[in-house]
Amino acid sequence: VKLDDEIIQKEFFMQIAMVQDKIVPVEQLDPAYFDRGLYFGDGVYEVLRSYNGKIFGLDEHIERLANSLAAIEITGIDVKEIRGRVQEAFDTAKVPNVKIYFHVTRGSALRSHGWDNSLKPNFFMLISDLEEDPELKAKGVAVSVYPDIRWKRCDIKSLNLLPNVLAQQDATRKGCFEAIFLNDAGFITEGSSSAFFQIFGRTVHTTPLSKSILPSITRKFVLKAAANVGLEIVEKSIMPNQLKAVDELLLGTTTKDVIPVVEFDGQTIRDGRPGKYTKQLIEEFRLFTV
Ligand code: PLP
């Protein structure tokens, strides 16, 4: 790939690049080195999955992508075309159960905070085998807590994921599957890469949609499943101390759909086994995927 002339010509009378320990002529650098996604996390992404040869929630993911792009003012890329690319790559893969990751960044340019409106967005997609782990659903997982140190626009699926990365690493270090974010006021927001639900009796609680959480696609379908099986839904944030009375906990995330949570911040939930409504939600969710 040849570097955009625009990048090379601008101010390149004296520029030296070094990649690892090698000096590289600037004009030979891959434009990927100039991707604003790398310097600023200046881009948005989506993760989708397929079940048995069919992409799940494609329209929902494309709609969220459109919202994310608009929110950070990336224009010049047609989401309908991206939808086509996702379908094309998936059809090419010919694998029934895959994870589809893609991102759109603002483009490649010399590093400068402000951008030129003529920049061409960069697109990257990776489709990979999805490995199911039935143990997760059968036994449930433990979650830890982590301060929600994210910015005030968590509704945008932006490439800036440092808080999520740190939270996940902290959870893994503690032997947990996922970290649950607690905001400054002590309320649960969501998981570092999942929506989080609490069941009290026959009522499913989850954080209401706002700029503080990602509008999770799985969340939407879990709430639909909950309504289908006749559970009450309350969209209200709660604090960890309210979990003393909780009956069941669960996570929702695209690649794994519904995962029972049996331990929260070191405390075992009830008998430490996946709850009956969680199991029902797993079954009900499965119906959306066939
Ligand atoms: N919340 C956050 C912060 C996430 O990163 C994710 C997914 O990675 C989710 C929730 C779940 O979203 P979805 O159900 O669309 O995968």
Side-chain angles (χ1 to χ4, degrees):
V1 194
K2 189 111 173 46
L3 199 55
D4 225 317
D5 283 347
E6 207 181 320
I7 296 174
I8 305 171
Q9 280 161 14
K10 252 192 224 166
E11 308 160 32
F12 266 17
F13 29 93
M14 214 314 273
Q15 293 239 13
I16 290 191
M18 194 163 192
V19 178
Q20 314 300 14
D21 59 348
K22 300 270 186 311
I23 300 280
V24 182
V26 173
E27 61 279 6
Q28 283 178 21
L29 282 176
D30 190 293
Y33 285 110
F34 292 91
D35 196 318
R36 289 179 59 97
L38 184 62
Y39 294 109
F40 308 116
D42 191 357
V44 296
Y45 75 107
E46 278 297 329
V47 178
L48 301 87
R49 68 158 294 175
S50 66
Y51 290 91
N52 300 316
K54 192 165 180 296
I55 301 173
F56 182 74
L58 181 54
D59 289 339
E60 284 82 357
H61 284 277
I62 293 297
E63 186 190 342
R64 183 170 67 186
L65 171 73
N67 292 339
S68 295
L69 287 168
I72 69 164
E73 300 172 45
I74 290 185
T75 52
I77 189 141
D78 181 3
V79 293
K80 280 201 209 80
E81 191 192 324
I82 291 182
R83 192 185 197 285
R85 287 183 197 177
V86 171
Q87 193 64 58
E88 181 195 339
F90 176 63
D91 293 344
T92 306
K94 291 192 176 62
V95 177
N97 293 299
V98 293
K99 169 178 172 173
I100 303 168
Y101 167 86
F102 70 82
H103 65 221
V104 179
T105 72
R106 197 177 304 281
S108 295
L110 285 180
R111 188 183 181 283
S112 161
H113 286 65
W115 72 82
D116 198 319
N117 279 324
S118 63
L119 269 189
K120 221 168 94 356
N122 287 329
F123 178 81
F124 173 72
M125 174 159 44
L126 187 69
I127 297 192
S128 44
D129 279 313
L130 196 82
E131 282 166 36
E132 301 278 5
D133 181 357
E135 282 246 307
L136 292 179
K137 282 188 170 49
K139 292 192 170 162
V141 299
V143 298
S144 53
V145 293
Y146 197 82
D148 197 340
I149 54 174
R150 298 176 299 168
W151 69 331
K152 297 190 172 76
R153 289 304 306 274
C154 297
D155 55 320
I156 302 171
K157 202 160 170 65
S158 120
L159 289 175
N160 288 273
L161 290 173
L162 258 186
N164 311 61
V165 164
L166 292 172
Q168 178 61 65
Q169 195 64 11
D170 181 70
T172 305
R173 208 178 285 133
K174 291 170 175 162
C176 292
F177 177 79
E178 168 69 309
I180 302 300
F181 282 129
L182 300 182
N183 69 16
D184 291 350
F187 287 95
I188 290 169
T189 53
E190 61 181 333
S192 73
S193 61
S194 60
F196 187 50
F197 306 85
Q198 309 87 38
I199 304 182
F200 298 86
R202 293 186 56 84
T203 306
V204 181
H205 274 247
T206 198
T207 309
L209 292 182
S210 73
K211 288 178 178 170
S212 305
I213 65 166
L214 185 77
S216 151
I217 309 301
T218 316
R219 175 189 185 281
K220 181 183 154 166
F221 285 101
V222 166
L223 292 183
K224 200 169 154 187
N228 287 356
V229 301
L231 297 173
E232 295 290 320
I233 293 157
V234 174
E235 294 183 59
K236 201 166 168 231
S237 309
I238 67 165
M239 287 185 169
N241 62 13
Q242 294 174 266
L243 295 182
K244 286 192 195 90
V246 87
D247 295 305
E248 304 181 28
L249 294 175
L250 55 137
L251 294 174
T253 188
T254 288
T255 51
K256 302 190 171 64
D257 55 70
V258 181
I259 302 283
V261 172
V262 295
E263 189 187 308
F264 183 94
D265 195 19
Q267 297 298 308
T268 301
I269 306 302
R270 300 291 169 186
D271 66 356
R273 300 223 297 264
K276 62 175 179 189
Y277 291 128
T278 304
K279 286 185 196 158
Q280 228 179 317
L281 290 173
I282 289 172
E283 288 310 311
E284 193 65 25
F285 193 99
R286 210 183 300 273
L287 301 178
F288 299 140
T289 67
V290 292

